[in-house]
Amino acid sequence: MRKNRDDLAKKYIKEIKSADVWSVFKIIADFVKGFDELGELGPTVTMFGSSKVDSSSEYYKKAQELSSILAQRGFNIMTGGGPGVMEAANRGAFEYKNVESIGLNIDLPFEQIPNKFTTTELSFDYFFSRKVMLVKYSIAYVIFPGGYGTLDELFEALTLIQTKKITGVKVFMIGVSYYKPLFKFIENKLYKNGMITQEDFEQIRLTDDLEQVVEEIEASVLNQIKILQECGLGDTQYSKSLIEFFKDKNIDNKEAR
């Protein structure tokens, strides 16, 4: 096992540091695979969180519960495909046959076993291509407690929203007791020192109210449709899937808060 970890780590060092032109094709392959498999997904919510919690954890249970509610209402669920919170989220969606439970795994120098609750599973060589796929096709990001990887994904999402690379997407942080110190740091240090704007700060919703999360995600579908139409993308397959979803669910016609 140690040898396998070392071999995989050496592989990444060689690919990144050698500037081998063939690595470009492997990177392109990651993107092509993602675009090909995920390009026609309907409304999808990406859920992030620690791989280290087990099924007895309150966060595992909350992730499974939220995923189940969203899937029941027709949302696909996407995760990093591993254990812990990712497994819980895929597990909650797996029982609903009309939606996809998607896992985007990655080869790591330490073991990450794909969970068994996915209907669509892809494996990536590179973190950055995987992160693009995790955010590109989603209308909301739900961040459960986690470590460096989860925080990286949180701030990546917030940066993309701040710089208008993606628009109309909600970011929810679940776990008030866990994330409150970080939330306060963002408010008291970043916002109050002018490092981010009020609009940037208001992109984050810190809550443990799962029903509120679901309601806000549903309400944001209309906003997504409007943005696509304003950008001349109203005739795309993705836009049409959102319109059909909106009509079928009889969602309240108010703007997302």
Side-chain angles (χ1 to χ4, degrees), residues 9-236:
K10 289 175 183 177
K11 168 193 166 188
Y12 289 141
I13 291 171
K14 288 178 181 178
E15 289 180 354
I16 302 274
K17 299 296 185 182
S18 68
D20 184 350
V21 69
W22 290 105
S23 294
V24 174
F25 294 102
K26 296 182 73 174
I27 294 168
I28 292 172
D30 260 3
F31 283 113
V32 170
K33 175 171 53 182
F35 294 155
D36 185 53
E37 292 289 335
L38 305 175
E40 295 188 2
L41 283 176
T44 301
V45 176
T46 298
M47 296 173 65
F48 301 98
S50 175
S51 64
K52 295 179 170 60
V53 301
D54 60 28
S55 58
S56 65
S57 163
E58 66 169 305
Y59 299 125
Y60 185 107
K61 294 173 182 176
K62 278 184 175 290
Q64 185 176 350
E65 180 184 357
L66 177 60
S67 174
S68 180
I69 297 170
L70 288 167
Q72 187 179 31
R73 300 195 188 188
F75 289 95
N76 302 309
I77 300 297
M78 186 183 295
T79 78
V85 166
M86 294 173 282
E87 175 186 291
N90 286 133
R91 187 174 185 176
F94 189 72
E95 61 184 295
Y96 296 94
K97 303 306 178 186
N98 61 321
V99 300
E100 295 291 333
S101 177
I102 306 143
L104 307 186
N105 217 295
I106 188 163
D107 292 327
L108 294 173
F110 49 89
E111 187 176 18
Q112 175 163 310
I113 302 172
N115 72 67
K116 61 183 180 181
F117 298 105
T118 59
T119 57
T120 298
E121 180 185 323
L122 299 177
S123 183
F124 291 83
D125 280 318
Y126 298 97
F127 265 114
F128 55 85
S129 52
R130 175 178 177 250
K131 283 200 295 184
V132 169
M133 296 304 142
L134 283 167
V135 302
K136 180 176 175 61
Y137 296 109
S138 292
I139 65 169
Y141 313 132
V142 182
I143 317 294
F144 281 87
Y148 286 155
T150 302
L151 293 177
D152 174 54
E153 289 153 344
L154 166 64
F155 286 108
E156 174 87 6
L158 291 171
T159 301
L160 289 170
I161 295 170
Q162 180 190 51
T163 55
K164 308 301 183 184
K165 297 299 183 183
I166 53 177
T167 55
V169 178
K170 289 282 190 178
V171 178
F172 300 92
M173 296 168 67
I174 306 295
V176 172
S177 63
Y178 187 90
Y179 276 126
K180 191 172 183 179
L182 176 61
F183 189 80
K184 285 297 183 184
F185 173 81
I186 294 171
E187 181 180 25
N188 294 331
K189 297 299 182 182
L190 293 146
Y191 172 54
K192 290 185 177 178
N193 282 284
M195 305 299 178
I196 61 173
T197 67
Q198 182 176 350
E199 182 183 6
D200 296 332
F201 179 63
E202 289 175 352
Q203 295 298 335
I204 310 170
R205 179 81 76 247
L206 176 62
T207 182
D208 285 324
D209 187 339
L210 302 186
E211 286 294 338
Q212 178 192 25
V213 172
V214 174
E215 288 173 6
E216 291 198 33
I217 290 174
E218 284 191 331
S220 72
V221 174
L222 177 60
N223 193 34
Q224 284 276 335
I225 293 169
K226 288 180 177 178
I227 290 169
L228 289 169
Q229 290 174 339
E230 289 170 0
C231 294
L233 299 173
D235 290 330
T236 61

